[in-house]
Amino acid sequence: MGDDKVIELIGRIDRALARIEASAGRPAPPPPPPADDGGAAALEDAHRTLRARVERAITQIDRLIAAGEAG
């Protein structure tokens, strides 16, 4: 192998090493968000349903307390 080839290869190795060192100093990119398979929508529906049931139960409890205080 000629001296020119060796010098060219050393230069390529140096440039590759510089790229490796530069990328090692950067933080890794954040992972992509998980794909929504419809589970979030189902969870929101369940939350709304549960919230409505709790609100009705609280209203009923308030009525019972008020009736107890009046009687």
Side-chain angles (χ1 to χ4, degrees):
M1 193 180 291
D3 288 344
D4 291 342
K5 284 271 194 193
V6 171
I7 292 171
E8 181 182 333
L9 288 174
I10 291 172
R12 289 180 65 192
I13 292 170
D14 282 341
R15 289 189 299 277
L17 182 58
R19 288 193 305 272
I20 291 169
E21 289 173 342
S23 69
R26 290 190 299 258
D36 184 8
D37 60 356
L43 185 59
E44 288 175 6
D45 288 343
H47 173 70
R48 279 191 290 275
T49 300
L50 181 59
R51 183 181 181 107
R53 289 176 64 187
V54 169
E55 287 174 353
R56 285 193 302 269
I58 290 173
T59 300
Q60 186 178 10
I61 291 169
D62 286 342
R63 284 189 206 137
L64 290 172
I65 291 172
E69 290 175 350

